[in-house]
Amino acid sequence: MANVWARMSTRVRVALFAGLSAAVALSAGAIWFVSLLQQRLEVSAQDLSSAHVTALIGLLRTGADPAAIPDSYQFGPFDIVNADGVRVGFNCESPIFRVAQAVDENGRLLPSATDDSCLSSLGLSSGTWEVTDDRKYTVHAAVQVDPAGLEVVDAAKSQALWGVPVLVLLISTVAWFAARGSLRPVKALSDGVGEITANDLSRRVAVPPSGDEITQLARRMNLMLDRVEDSSVRQRRFTEDASHELRTPLASMRTQLEIQLAHPDRIDWRKTVADVGEDVERMQALVTDLMLLVRVEGAQPSPLEPVDLAGVVADSLGDRQFRKGLEVDFDAADVTVLADQRLERVIRNLLDNAERYASETIEIWVKASDSDVVLAVENDGPPIPEAERERVFERFVRLDEARDRDSGGSGLGLAIAREIMVSYGGTLKVERGARFVARFPLPPT
């Protein structure tokens, strides 16, 4: 059954659900309405029979003979029973009651013979009136339920028997067409998405003007397509840049090896091997950075732990050999940040960048403010133009001044450092000149 339901279209399921709900609601309503009509008729007859009982008791109190009441007054069916259980007055002439034939020697109807045959169970009422201390009468009266009302009840039943199915069918049909109209924008979205291919990600789906959930779906789908297109463009540019960066050392290696093979006697093979080794190291560093960047972008966030930022920077400086003549100033406060082992890579990449561009001095300081923890690395090299301060964090980007001074950088160090800082919930920016500032969020207290 579940598989059959799952294979049905949305329009059919909506129509069936609406029809089933309507059937339950209309059936319950029809039953309640017919029962209410029936109850009202019965209550009305009961009230009228109670009024007859009250009137009969009033006559008995005036001293009227119970046996003479049927001949002297116009009442519906009733009977009057004395304290001995003998019926001393009754009226069973109404055609809706069966009249018992058994009578006693005085012509009165025998109690055993009448039983309840003289009075209808519908609309029955009774009352007791005590005449004297040793005499009392029990009075019963009955009123026929209104025939016209019974006809109305029968008509209501008949109308419900054929009216409820017709209404259920009508509601199901309306629900089917309503679902069809509501799903038309969804079909348009589906057709629009189907026309978008990997070769053309610039197309977008049409946004319905209704302002409902379909409109929100179309807008979010277009935002998703924006992200997919941006990712595709970045991936294509990344592939092209990586191919270009790898092609350069490969071409250099091939050229040197071909020259060495062509002139083995004129070129020192040891120098060729040394030069090729440098190109291999450059390729190895590039591939390592590429793999690290992919892991940083695609990996799930790792658990962060409290880390002594100043201690990590000091360890990195202690393990590093800067080029001769370069002065490094380090000033740090005792602060803690939430990070992992990748923090060492952020510091190393910032130091690599600073050493590559510095003329004589690198300044490093760590401090805490009311809102964050700051790690700043500044060098006295050429200042970075304000228009280039964001571009330097793009992959394989090296400013023109750096190309002449490049000592083998892959152009990925700053991109990797920023990606790691973003995963920490922080930022990495160029705030002034050649000052790179990494800001960490304050750890919870």
PDB file of all heavy atoms in Angstrom, residues 268-287:
ATOM      1  N   ASP A 268      78.272  20.923 -17.617  1.00  0.00           N
ATOM      2  CA  ASP A 268      78.516  20.115 -16.425  1.00  0.00           C
ATOM      3  C   ASP A 268      77.203  19.447 -15.986  1.00  0.00           C
ATOM      4  O   ASP A 268      76.228  20.135 -15.641  1.00  0.00           O
ATOM      5  CB  ASP A 268      79.072  20.999 -15.313  1.00  0.00           C
ATOM      6  CG  ASP A 268      79.480  20.181 -14.086  1.00  0.00           C
ATOM      7  OD1 ASP A 268      79.371  18.935 -14.129  1.00  0.00           O
ATOM      8  OD2 ASP A 268      79.867  20.811 -13.077  1.00  0.00           O
ATOM      9  N   TRP A 269      77.195  18.144 -16.003  1.00  0.00           N
ATOM     10  CA  TRP A 269      75.970  17.419 -15.645  1.00  0.00           C
ATOM     11  C   TRP A 269      75.596  17.612 -14.177  1.00  0.00           C
ATOM     12  O   TRP A 269      74.439  17.541 -13.803  1.00  0.00           O
ATOM     13  CB  TRP A 269      76.094  15.935 -15.971  1.00  0.00           C
ATOM     14  CG  TRP A 269      77.136  15.209 -15.136  1.00  0.00           C
ATOM     15  CD1 TRP A 269      78.452  15.027 -15.446  1.00  0.00           C
ATOM     16  CD2 TRP A 269      76.920  14.602 -13.854  1.00  0.00           C
ATOM     17  NE1 TRP A 269      79.099  14.338 -14.448  1.00  0.00           N
ATOM     18  CE2 TRP A 269      78.153  14.055 -13.452  1.00  0.00           C
ATOM     19  CE3 TRP A 269      75.827  14.446 -13.022  1.00  0.00           C
ATOM     20  CZ2 TRP A 269      78.313  13.372 -12.251  1.00  0.00           C
ATOM     21  CZ3 TRP A 269      76.001  13.763 -11.832  1.00  0.00           C
ATOM     22  CH2 TRP A 269      77.226  13.234 -11.457  1.00  0.00           C
ATOM     23  N   ARG A 270      76.576  17.905 -13.319  1.00  0.00           N
ATOM     24  CA  ARG A 270      76.281  18.137 -11.913  1.00  0.00           C
ATOM     25  C   ARG A 270      75.438  19.406 -11.728  1.00  0.00           C
ATOM     26  O   ARG A 270      74.494  19.431 -10.923  1.00  0.00           O
ATOM     27  CB  ARG A 270      77.572  18.253 -11.116  1.00  0.00           C
ATOM     28  CG  ARG A 270      78.387  16.961 -11.064  1.00  0.00           C
ATOM     29  CD  ARG A 270      79.647  17.152 -10.255  1.00  0.00           C
ATOM     30  NE  ARG A 270      80.457  15.943 -10.205  1.00  0.00           N
ATOM     31  CZ  ARG A 270      81.311  15.556 -11.143  1.00  0.00           C
ATOM     32  NH1 ARG A 270      81.494  16.348 -12.215  1.00  0.00           N
ATOM     33  NH2 ARG A 270      81.991  14.444 -11.016  1.00  0.00           N
ATOM     34  N   LYS A 271      75.782  20.452 -12.484  1.00  0.00           N
ATOM     35  CA  LYS A 271      74.992  21.691 -12.392  1.00  0.00           C
ATOM     36  C   LYS A 271      73.580  21.472 -12.913  1.00  0.00           C
ATOM     37  O   LYS A 271      72.605  21.992 -12.360  1.00  0.00           O
ATOM     38  CB  LYS A 271      75.677  22.798 -13.184  1.00  0.00           C
ATOM     39  CG  LYS A 271      74.963  24.147 -13.056  1.00  0.00           C
ATOM     40  CD  LYS A 271      75.718  25.224 -13.805  1.00  0.00           C
ATOM     41  CE  LYS A 271      75.064  26.584 -13.605  1.00  0.00           C
ATOM     42  NZ  LYS A 271      73.623  26.599 -13.943  1.00  0.00           N
ATOM     43  N   THR A 272      73.464  20.683 -13.982  1.00  0.00           N
ATOM     44  CA  THR A 272      72.123  20.396 -14.525  1.00  0.00           C
ATOM     45  C   THR A 272      71.272  19.651 -13.508  1.00  0.00           C
ATOM     46  O   THR A 272      70.099  19.968 -13.295  1.00  0.00           O
ATOM     47  CB  THR A 272      72.244  19.564 -15.806  1.00  0.00           C
ATOM     48  OG1 THR A 272      73.012  20.298 -16.773  1.00  0.00           O
ATOM     49  CG2 THR A 272      70.876  19.232 -16.369  1.00  0.00           C
ATOM     50  N   VAL A 273      71.882  18.664 -12.869  1.00  0.00           N
ATOM     51  CA  VAL A 273      71.140  17.912 -11.854  1.00  0.00           C
ATOM     52  C   VAL A 273      70.724  18.816 -10.698  1.00  0.00           C
ATOM     53  O   VAL A 273      69.601  18.715 -10.170  1.00  0.00           O
ATOM     54  CB  VAL A 273      71.981  16.729 -11.353  1.00  0.00           C
ATOM     55  CG1 VAL A 273      71.322  16.067 -10.146  1.00  0.00           C
ATOM     56  CG2 VAL A 273      72.188  15.719 -12.463  1.00  0.00           C
ATOM     57  N   ALA A 274      71.615  19.718 -10.295  1.00  0.00           N
ATOM     58  CA  ALA A 274      71.286  20.630  -9.196  1.00  0.00           C
ATOM     59  C   ALA A 274      70.135  21.550  -9.578  1.00  0.00           C
ATOM     60  O   ALA A 274      69.210  21.798  -8.775  1.00  0.00           O
ATOM     61  CB  ALA A 274      72.514  21.447  -8.816  1.00  0.00           C
ATOM     62  N   ASP A 275      70.188  22.081 -10.828  1.00  0.00           N
ATOM     63  CA  ASP A 275      69.094  22.961 -11.276  1.00  0.00           C
ATOM     64  C   ASP A 275      67.774  22.206 -11.380  1.00  0.00           C
ATOM     65  O   ASP A 275      66.710  22.717 -10.983  1.00  0.00           O
ATOM     66  CB  ASP A 275      69.445  23.575 -12.634  1.00  0.00           C
ATOM     67  CG  ASP A 275      70.613  24.539 -12.534  1.00  0.00           C
ATOM     68  OD1 ASP A 275      70.886  25.012 -11.411  1.00  0.00           O
ATOM     69  OD2 ASP A 275      71.254  24.804 -13.574  1.00  0.00           O
ATOM     70  N   VAL A 276      67.823  20.993 -11.905  1.00  0.00           N
ATOM     71  CA  VAL A 276      66.604  20.181 -11.996  1.00  0.00           C
ATOM     72  C   VAL A 276      66.085  19.852 -10.592  1.00  0.00           C
ATOM     73  O   VAL A 276      64.864  19.827 -10.351  1.00  0.00           O
ATOM     74  CB  VAL A 276      66.867  18.893 -12.805  1.00  0.00           C
ATOM     75  CG1 VAL A 276      65.680  17.931 -12.695  1.00  0.00           C
ATOM     76  CG2 VAL A 276      67.154  19.232 -14.259  1.00  0.00           C
ATOM     77  N   GLY A 277      66.978  19.634  -9.665  1.00  0.00           N
ATOM     78  CA  GLY A 277      66.556  19.353  -8.292  1.00  0.00           C
ATOM     79  C   GLY A 277      65.806  20.525  -7.682  1.00  0.00           C
ATOM     80  O   GLY A 277      64.823  20.336  -6.942  1.00  0.00           O
ATOM     81  N   GLU A 278      66.273  21.755  -7.979  1.00  0.00           N
ATOM     82  CA  GLU A 278      65.552  22.932  -7.492  1.00  0.00           C
ATOM     83  C   GLU A 278      64.147  23.001  -8.069  1.00  0.00           C
ATOM     84  O   GLU A 278      63.173  23.333  -7.369  1.00  0.00           O
ATOM     85  CB  GLU A 278      66.337  24.198  -7.834  1.00  0.00           C
ATOM     86  CG  GLU A 278      67.655  24.321  -7.083  1.00  0.00           C
ATOM     87  CD  GLU A 278      68.406  25.581  -7.468  1.00  0.00           C
ATOM     88  OE1 GLU A 278      67.890  26.313  -8.363  1.00  0.00           O
ATOM     89  OE2 GLU A 278      69.482  25.836  -6.900  1.00  0.00           O
ATOM     90  N   ASP A 279      64.029  22.699  -9.375  1.00  0.00           N
ATOM     91  CA  ASP A 279      62.689  22.697  -9.988  1.00  0.00           C
ATOM     92  C   ASP A 279      61.803  21.609  -9.391  1.00  0.00           C
ATOM     93  O   ASP A 279      60.601  21.802  -9.201  1.00  0.00           O
ATOM     94  CB  ASP A 279      62.800  22.497 -11.501  1.00  0.00           C
ATOM     95  CG  ASP A 279      63.393  23.715 -12.188  1.00  0.00           C
ATOM     96  OD1 ASP A 279      63.206  24.825 -11.652  1.00  0.00           O
ATOM     97  OD2 ASP A 279      64.020  23.560 -13.252  1.00  0.00           O
ATOM     98  N   VAL A 280      62.393  20.469  -9.074  1.00  0.00           N
ATOM     99  CA  VAL A 280      61.614  19.393  -8.451  1.00  0.00           C
ATOM    100  C   VAL A 280      61.131  19.823  -7.067  1.00  0.00           C
ATOM    101  O   VAL A 280      59.981  19.557  -6.681  1.00  0.00           O
ATOM    102  CB  VAL A 280      62.454  18.107  -8.365  1.00  0.00           C
ATOM    103  CG1 VAL A 280      61.755  17.056  -7.502  1.00  0.00           C
ATOM    104  CG2 VAL A 280      62.719  17.552  -9.758  1.00  0.00           C
ATOM    105  N   GLU A 281      62.001  20.472  -6.308  1.00  0.00           N
ATOM    106  CA  GLU A 281      61.599  20.954  -4.992  1.00  0.00           C
ATOM    107  C   GLU A 281      60.467  21.978  -5.111  1.00  0.00           C
ATOM    108  O   GLU A 281      59.529  21.989  -4.299  1.00  0.00           O
ATOM    109  CB  GLU A 281      62.796  21.578  -4.281  1.00  0.00           C
ATOM    110  CG  GLU A 281      63.850  20.559  -3.860  1.00  0.00           C
ATOM    111  CD  GLU A 281      65.022  21.213  -3.166  1.00  0.00           C
ATOM    112  OE1 GLU A 281      64.999  22.475  -3.044  1.00  0.00           O
ATOM    113  OE2 GLU A 281      65.948  20.510  -2.742  1.00  0.00           O
ATOM    114  N   ARG A 282      60.581  22.831  -6.121  1.00  0.00           N
ATOM    115  CA  ARG A 282      59.520  23.821  -6.330  1.00  0.00           C
ATOM    116  C   ARG A 282      58.197  23.135  -6.670  1.00  0.00           C
ATOM    117  O   ARG A 282      57.136  23.494  -6.142  1.00  0.00           O
ATOM    118  CB  ARG A 282      59.925  24.784  -7.444  1.00  0.00           C
ATOM    119  CG  ARG A 282      58.901  25.884  -7.690  1.00  0.00           C
ATOM    120  CD  ARG A 282      59.383  26.818  -8.776  1.00  0.00           C
ATOM    121  NE  ARG A 282      58.403  27.844  -9.059  1.00  0.00           N
ATOM    122  CZ  ARG A 282      58.524  28.756 -10.026  1.00  0.00           C
ATOM    123  NH1 ARG A 282      59.609  28.751 -10.798  1.00  0.00           N
ATOM    124  NH2 ARG A 282      57.578  29.653 -10.217  1.00  0.00           N
ATOM    125  N   MET A 283      58.231  22.134  -7.529  1.00  0.00           N
ATOM    126  CA  MET A 283      57.023  21.390  -7.876  1.00  0.00           C
ATOM    127  C   MET A 283      56.484  20.651  -6.654  1.00  0.00           C
ATOM    128  O   MET A 283      55.258  20.592  -6.433  1.00  0.00           O
ATOM    129  CB  MET A 283      57.319  20.402  -9.003  1.00  0.00           C
ATOM    130  CG  MET A 283      57.539  21.041 -10.360  1.00  0.00           C
ATOM    131  SD  MET A 283      57.812  19.790 -11.626  1.00  0.00           S
ATOM    132  CE  MET A 283      56.290  18.855 -11.511  1.00  0.00           C
ATOM    133  N   GLN A 284      57.367  20.092  -5.862  1.00  0.00           N
ATOM    134  CA  GLN A 284      56.935  19.369  -4.676  1.00  0.00           C
ATOM    135  C   GLN A 284      56.225  20.307  -3.696  1.00  0.00           C
ATOM    136  O   GLN A 284      55.191  19.965  -3.127  1.00  0.00           O
ATOM    137  CB  GLN A 284      58.130  18.713  -4.003  1.00  0.00           C
ATOM    138  CG  GLN A 284      57.770  17.854  -2.800  1.00  0.00           C
ATOM    139  CD  GLN A 284      58.986  17.189  -2.188  1.00  0.00           C
ATOM    140  OE1 GLN A 284      60.127  17.493  -2.555  1.00  0.00           O
ATOM    141  NE2 GLN A 284      58.760  16.286  -1.235  1.00  0.00           N
ATOM    142  N   ALA A 285      56.800  21.515  -3.505  1.00  0.00           N
ATOM    143  CA  ALA A 285      56.168  22.485  -2.612  1.00  0.00           C
ATOM    144  C   ALA A 285      54.806  22.909  -3.154  1.00  0.00           C
ATOM    145  O   ALA A 285      53.837  23.062  -2.399  1.00  0.00           O
ATOM    146  CB  ALA A 285      57.076  23.696  -2.442  1.00  0.00           C
ATOM    147  N   LEU A 286      54.737  23.074  -4.484  1.00  0.00           N
ATOM    148  CA  LEU A 286      53.474  23.484  -5.094  1.00  0.00           C
ATOM    149  C   LEU A 286      52.411  22.403  -4.913  1.00  0.00           C
ATOM    150  O   LEU A 286      51.269  22.687  -4.531  1.00  0.00           O
ATOM    151  CB  LEU A 286      53.693  23.783  -6.576  1.00  0.00           C
ATOM    152  CG  LEU A 286      52.440  24.158  -7.383  1.00  0.00           C
ATOM    153  CD1 LEU A 286      51.787  25.407  -6.807  1.00  0.00           C
ATOM    154  CD2 LEU A 286      52.794  24.362  -8.855  1.00  0.00           C
ATOM    155  N   VAL A 287      52.775  21.159  -5.183  1.00  0.00           N
ATOM    156  CA  VAL A 287      51.812  20.065  -5.035  1.00  0.00           C
ATOM    157  C   VAL A 287      51.380  19.922  -3.572  1.00  0.00           C
ATOM    158  O   VAL A 287      50.205  19.679  -3.274  1.00  0.00           O
ATOM    159  CB  VAL A 287      52.412  18.749  -5.566  1.00  0.00           C
ATOM    160  CG1 VAL A 287      51.510  17.565  -5.222  1.00  0.00           C
ATOM    161  CG2 VAL A 287      52.624  18.836  -7.071  1.00  0.00           C
TER     162      VAL A 287
END
